[in-house]
Amino acid sequence: MGACVSIQTADFDLSAEVASLRSGDPAVGAVASFVGTVRDRNDGQGVAEMELEHYPGMTERAVEAMVDEARRRFEIRAVRVIHRVGRLVPGDQIVLVAVTSAHRGQAFQACEFLMDYLKTQAPFWKKELTPQGARWVDARVSDDQALARWGIRAENA
């Protein structure tokens, strides 16, 4: 029933990650997962590539704290969070959140909670390369509102 957080440049294999997450735990009745990918458009502009930066060590600790909070709120068995950094292009996988639980409701809720938290509170910095030039991207108000439904006020709001 461990949590595993990876911040990495390498891509990931969803099937392998889920198989590893549920391996050896016969109490698992549900696996919920989310895979985020890089889009080719953002805010009406084309995106040729994006670059994600982070502070090694600090980012992992922040995401691990999010997982700890999910464990307090939901009856979950195991969690796997992978967030890629570095240069990414449209179509690339960027984030994986996978959660196991005895029941689907807890797995779905924990997965969504973790994604809402990641979108607003994890210390990542995202720069997009558009036809108009490079730009840094802030969290959206809708992301902050998604986090607020869990009773958490975004620190950047």
Side-chain angles (χ1 to χ4, degrees):
M1 292 202 310
C4 191
V5 173
S6 297
I7 310 301
Q8 62 192 45
T9 56
D11 199 4
F12 54 85
D13 179 328
L14 174 63
S15 296
E17 296 297 339
V18 168
S20 175
L21 191 65
R22 56 189 289 239
S23 176
D25 188 352
V28 170
V31 178
S33 65
F34 174 85
V35 174
T37 59
V38 178
R39 292 184 308 270
D40 67 352
R41 300 195 68 71
N42 189 19
D43 292 334
Q45 292 185 350
V47 174
E49 66 181 59
M50 74 165 40
E51 189 167 337
L52 275 122
E53 298 178 5
H54 76 300
Y55 286 129
M58 182 182 97
T59 303
E60 288 86 347
R61 285 190 300 277
V63 176
E64 287 164 3
M66 294 174 199
V67 171
D68 290 343
E69 180 62 23
R71 287 185 178 286
R72 281 190 285 279
R73 290 172 178 247
F74 308 102
E75 294 177 26
I76 55 180
R77 308 219 28 102
V79 176
R80 178 74 167 125
V81 176
I82 299 173
H83 206 298
R84 295 181 65 198
V85 292
R87 183 183 167 277
L88 299 166
V89 298
D92 283 351
Q93 297 183 124
I94 189 170
V95 63
L96 164 69
V97 174
V99 179
T100 66
S101 179
H103 304 284
R104 71 179 184 273
Q106 293 292 297
F108 278 132
Q109 288 179 42
C111 189
E112 192 167 18
F113 170 81
L114 285 165
M115 266 315 302
D116 288 345
Y117 213 164
L118 274 169
K119 286 287 286 183
T120 59
Q121 302 303 295
F124 291 100
W125 292 269
K126 179 168 64 169
K127 182 170 52 173
E128 293 178 338
L129 181 62
T130 72
Q132 291 74 31
R135 65 178 180 171
W136 292 98
V137 180
D138 292 325
R140 293 181 170 87
V141 171
S142 60
D143 294 330
D144 293 340
Q145 291 168 340
L147 187 63
R149 71 188 167 132
W150 303 105
I152 300 171
R153 185 174 185 278
E155 294 172 13
N156 58 356

